């Protein structure tokens, strides 16, 4: 255990070139905290929002919300983890792009031996997002139909498998035939290449004009209005990301005209703020993976010092599945 750790920080917001890698002090955990030595870190679109300033941070600041590793020290009052435990997390505060850190323990979860550190780093944020989308935002049941944008991404590929495991029809969108096939291979019922087809018309065709029960949309501005037009009356629009830009203000009267539609903008961090709920959600995810119902697709891996390249590829939509940074 060293006193310093390689750490990615930003001192200004902007493009991937703002990243700096430094050796920074780690310290010891206080009450309710743990020190964790990372084996791998997860890369997610929220990291882009932090880096670019869409979600402001007090600078300078670390980046990254997700990692896996081994517990090196435990602060007073922490009972669910001990030194030497394998662990994984997706939680605040940002700062996961590092070799080791001290952080609040409540959202750090014991990682089962059957799940690798690489999978642990790739699955927590995206997998628990799928858990709340399917079970806590609108409890879905067998026979329901959902539209999932970016179905070949990290969240999307987990969602495809999750839907199949529960008898839910998932219609997905992606930007190439290869990405569409990847999502189909992971359990999507139907896929739409939005470069070739109007996804609204195709969804209506696939649902015999009815529309879907739920839309799960992390793309944001570019797909928002079309997503509303894919819903059945009284359907639910779940807007949970802004990959193409922030959704503009919504005229609530429009929701009535389109069929008394419902809309919500949830975040994972609201759901996992409670320690017990967080651990329950993680265990549900671990059970899905351990049973074989969900396989974590790590589409690409970059060493920590290639973090700028990883962000460029993510923003250019060159990635599929989950992305990790290795140490």
């Amino acid at each position: 255990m060293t006193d310093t750790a390689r750490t990615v920080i930003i001192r200004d917001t902007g493009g991937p070139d703002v990243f700096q890698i430094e050796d920074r002090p780690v310290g010891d955990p206080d009450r309710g905290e743990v020190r964790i030595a990372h084996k791998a870190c997860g890369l997610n679109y929220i990291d882009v929002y932090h880096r670019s300033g869409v979600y402001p941070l007090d600078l300078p600041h670390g980046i990254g919300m997700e990692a896996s590793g081994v517990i090196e020290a435990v602060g007073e009052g922490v009972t669910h983890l001990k030194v030497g435990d394998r662990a994984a997390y997706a939680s605040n505060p940002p700062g996961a792009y590092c070799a080791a850190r001290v952080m609040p323990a409540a959202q750090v979860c014991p990682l089962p031996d059957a799940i690798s550190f690489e999978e642990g780093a790739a699955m927590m944020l995206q997998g628990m997002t799928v858990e709340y989308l399917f079970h806590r935002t609108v409890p879905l049941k067998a026979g329901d139909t959902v539209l999932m944008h970016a179905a070949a991404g990290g969240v999307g590929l987990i969602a495809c498998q999750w839907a199949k495991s529960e008898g839910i029809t998932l219609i997905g969108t992606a930007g190439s035939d290869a990405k569409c096939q990847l999502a189909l291979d992971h359990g999507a019922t139907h896929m739409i290449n939005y470069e070739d087809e109007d996804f609204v018309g195709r969804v209506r065709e696939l649902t015999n004009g009815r529309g879907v029960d739920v839309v799960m949309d992390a793309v944001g501005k570019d797909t928002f209005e079309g997503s509303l037009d894919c819903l059945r009356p009284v359907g639910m629009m779940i807007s949970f990301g802004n990959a193409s830009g922030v959704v503009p203000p919504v005229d609530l009267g429009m929701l009535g005209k389109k069929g008394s539609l419902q809309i919500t903008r949830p975040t994972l961090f609201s759901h996992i703020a409670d320690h017990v709920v967080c651990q329950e959600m993680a265990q549900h995810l671990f059970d899905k993976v351990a049973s074989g119902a969900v396989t974590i697709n790590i589409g690409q891996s970059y060493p920590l010092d290639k973090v700028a390249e990883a962000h460029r590829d993510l923003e250019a939509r060159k990635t599929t599945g989950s992305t990790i940074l290795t140490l």
Side-chain angles (χ1 to χ4, degrees):
M1 188 167 69
T2 61
D3 294 331
T4 62
R6 292 174 65 227
T7 304
V8 176
I9 66 165
I10 59 169
R11 298 186 182 280
D12 298 290
T13 57
D17 292 338
V18 301
F19 287 128
Q20 300 177 30
I21 301 179
E22 303 177 357
D23 287 330
R24 294 173 67 86
V26 181
D28 297 316
D30 289 330
R31 181 176 180 83
E33 295 182 332
V34 294
R35 173 172 168 148
I36 182 170
H38 290 153
K39 299 294 186 179
C41 311
L43 181 71
N44 298 282
Y45 222 93
I46 191 172
D47 307 343
V48 174
Y49 301 153
H50 285 143
R51 189 209 73 220
S52 63
V54 173
Y55 294 168
L57 299 173
D58 293 330
L59 301 179
H61 209 291
I63 291 289
M65 306 294 293
E66 176 181 44
S68 65
V70 177
I71 301 299
E72 290 190 324
V74 175
E76 184 181 351
V78 176
T79 59
H80 70 293
L81 294 164
K82 64 182 184 301
V83 173
D85 279 354
R86 305 170 79 252
Y89 66 86
S91 72
N92 281 309
Y97 292 2
C98 63
R101 70 186 296 202
V102 170
M103 64 181 296
Q107 282 69 46
V108 180
C109 306
L111 183 67
D113 291 341
I115 298 174
S116 71
F117 287 117
E118 291 77 15
E119 290 171 319
M123 69 189 284
M124 296 298 288
L125 191 146
Q126 295 167 348
M128 290 197 294
T129 294
V130 172
E131 203 275 351
Y132 86 67
L133 288 173
F134 278 76
H135 297 280
R136 297 171 193 272
T137 308
V138 180
L140 292 163
K141 62 185 183 303
D144 287 343
T145 300
V146 304
L147 172 64
M148 167 63 70
H149 289 297
V155 171
L157 291 182
I158 295 172
C160 290
Q161 298 172 82
W162 205 290
K164 183 177 181 181
S165 76
E166 301 198 352
I168 294 165
T169 297
L170 186 143
I171 302 170
T173 70
S176 72
D177 289 342
K179 287 186 174 184
C180 286
Q181 188 59 55
L182 180 63
L184 289 168
D185 292 343
H186 280 73
T189 313
H190 307 283
M191 283 300 298
I192 302 167
N193 182 344
Y194 59 73
E195 295 292 346
D196 296 336
E197 292 186 277
D198 168 32
F199 74 83
V200 177
R202 183 64 175 140
V203 165
R204 286 290 173 181
E205 180 182 337
L206 289 169
T207 59
N208 296 315
R210 175 178 180 269
V212 298
D213 299 297
V214 174
V215 175
M216 301 175 179
D217 187 348
V219 175
K221 177 173 65 69
D222 289 353
T223 52
F224 181 77
E225 289 194 18
S227 292
L228 294 178
D229 290 334
C230 290
L231 284 166
R232 65 161 172 80
V234 203
M236 172 64 81
M237 169 69 174
I238 307 175
S239 176
F240 69 102
N242 312 308
S244 68
V246 176
V247 174
V250 176
D251 175 8
L252 291 179
M254 173 184 65
L255 301 179
K257 294 175 183 177
K258 289 181 179 291
S260 301
L261 303 181
Q262 305 174 73
I263 186 168
T264 184
R265 186 26 173 120
T267 70
L268 172 64
F269 304 107
S270 298
H271 287 278
I272 66 171
D274 180 272
H275 166 71
V276 172
V277 172
C278 177
Q279 300 297 322
E280 288 175 352
M281 291 172 67
Q283 189 59 56
H284 195 178
L285 172 61
F286 294 152
D287 290 345
K288 284 284 188 183
V289 174
S291 72
V294 171
T295 299
I296 304 303
N297 181 304
I298 301 175
Q300 42 283 312
S301 174
Y302 304 80
L304 188 66
D305 61 4
K306 299 291 186 182
V307 61
E309 179 183 343
H311 270 239
R312 290 188 190 99
D313 288 349
L314 180 64
E315 289 182 276
R317 301 188 183 183
K318 293 181 179 179
T319 63
T320 57
S322 301
T323 303
I324 60 171
L325 302 172
T326 57
L327 295 145

